[in-house]
Amino acid sequence: MTGMRFAPKGYGGRRRNPDEVKRDGWREQRVLAVALDDHRLTWAERELVRQLGEKLYGPAATGREVQR
């Protein structure tokens, strides 16, 4: 017996890039995912995002370490 020739329904297709996922999340569910180092934002916009994040979720981890 040989392996499967085709992926089961729902497991094929192409993988969306992160910006597509973020855009679709905003359009479909009104969820916004923003990186503070996004070059498309001005300093004032980045500062607003940082302040909102800290207000809602507390201060970010220092450096590159992630706290859980």
Side-chain angles (χ1 to χ4, degrees):
M1 180 174 185
T2 62
M4 294 176 51
R5 292 185 186 188
F6 303 100
K9 185 175 180 179
Y11 288 92
R14 72 174 187 85
R15 175 167 277 204
R16 297 183 298 169
N17 70 41
D19 277 335
E20 288 177 308
V21 174
K22 293 175 191 177
R23 183 190 63 232
D24 293 345
W26 171 248
R27 291 180 178 172
E28 296 170 9
Q29 299 177 13
R30 295 299 200 219
V31 173
L32 184 61
V34 181
L36 284 178
D37 60 355
D38 190 322
H39 68 278
R40 299 171 290 186
L41 301 177
T42 65
W43 175 87
E45 292 166 337
R46 286 192 302 272
E47 184 64 14
L48 175 62
V49 169
R50 185 192 62 77
Q51 289 177 8
L52 285 170
E54 287 185 358
K55 180 178 182 175
L56 295 173
Y57 305 113
T62 58
R64 296 300 252 169
E65 54 189 62
V66 176
Q67 296 177 356
R68 289 187 182 234

